[in-house]
Amino acid sequence: MAVDSSAKPQKAADKIKATAQELFYREGIRAVGVDEIVTRAGVTKPSLYRAYSSKDELAADYLRDYDWRFWDRFEQAAHAHPGDPRAQLRAWMEGLAERATVDGYRGCGLTNAAIEFPDRSHPARRVAQGNKAALRARLREMARGMGAHDHDGLGDALLLLIEGVYASGQMFGAGGPAKALPKAAEALVEAYTR
């Protein structure tokens, strides 16, 4: 069997990051120790500390990636329906409802981090807080674009609905209330745009 010499071996920092992402999401940031991360990644502890100054910085980096993936999904829905914030929202909500009803769903990693780290100065909390503030602003902007008579009220109501899906999706799974998200969001939009 020929060996592909063009394939680059994965760097220790990449192994650490990938392992931490999986463990942090599944088990929570505080529940996972540095020793577990390096053991599962197959690297040494000094490798972790060369890549990250602390576990807190590794957690913040995990959340920055999570934030990027979050906005990537949001933008995909927006690009699929240019100029139609109602359709954009519906598409994103349908995707969220689907993700929130699969086995292993653990909610939003950013929301989970905000709960784990109440100290607003913690690096992970700052990333989570930034995402939630940006989402709130975006939802309010979309509500304005939908012609809502109270765009701030609609944006905030949608945010509350989304955060509820993050919790109920992990508690109830496939048969739970998360599957009702698109219809519930549509009912809110309808109530605010009449």
Side-chain angles (χ1 to χ4, degrees):
M1 174 187 271
V3 175
D4 181 4
S5 60
S6 67
K8 289 184 177 180
Q10 193 176 21
K11 293 179 184 177
D14 295 335
K15 290 179 185 180
I16 291 163
K17 188 176 194 174
T19 301
Q21 286 176 344
E22 190 254 319
L23 290 170
F24 288 165
Y25 183 73
R26 190 180 69 230
E27 298 178 24
I29 296 168
R30 288 185 179 220
V32 177
V34 169
D35 289 333
E36 183 176 5
I37 294 168
V38 297
T39 298
R40 294 221 187 165
V43 300
T44 63
K45 200 179 280 190
S47 296
L48 185 144
Y49 288 114
R50 274 194 297 277
Y52 298 96
S53 61
S54 66
K55 179 185 166 190
D56 289 347
E57 282 305 318
L58 175 57
D61 195 39
Y62 149 68
L63 292 171
R64 284 188 287 273
D65 282 354
Y66 197 101
D67 178 67
W68 183 88
R69 288 189 306 275
F70 174 92
W71 287 112
D72 184 56
R73 284 190 299 269
F74 208 97
E75 293 306 324
Q76 285 178 26
H79 292 308
H81 305 280
D84 188 349
R86 195 168 182 161
Q88 294 168 4
L89 181 70
R90 185 180 317 109
W92 187 79
M93 294 286 194
E94 288 169 354
L96 175 56
E98 187 176 314
R99 286 188 307 280
T101 55
V102 298
D103 286 340
Y105 182 74
R106 292 281 297 127
C108 174
L110 294 149
T111 296
N112 296 345
I115 293 166
E116 279 193 82
F117 299 100
D119 177 1
R120 293 182 183 273
S121 67
H122 190 281
R125 173 63 183 244
R126 287 195 310 262
V127 175
Q129 191 75 35
N131 171 274
K132 299 306 173 180
L135 177 59
R136 183 180 189 207
R138 181 72 177 267
L139 291 170
R140 286 174 160 199
E141 173 189 319
M142 292 175 83
R144 181 180 286 114
M146 290 180 226
H149 52 79
D150 176 4
H151 52 84
D152 288 349
L154 175 57
D156 286 352
L158 291 167
L159 182 60
L160 289 170
L161 189 60
I162 291 164
E163 292 296 329
V165 166
Y166 294 150
S168 66
Q170 18 184 342
M171 291 172 49
F172 296 102
K179 67 180 182 246
L181 175 63
K183 284 184 181 179
E186 187 62 33
L188 276 173
V189 169
E190 190 61 34
Y192 277 86
T193 56
R194 275 191 214 123

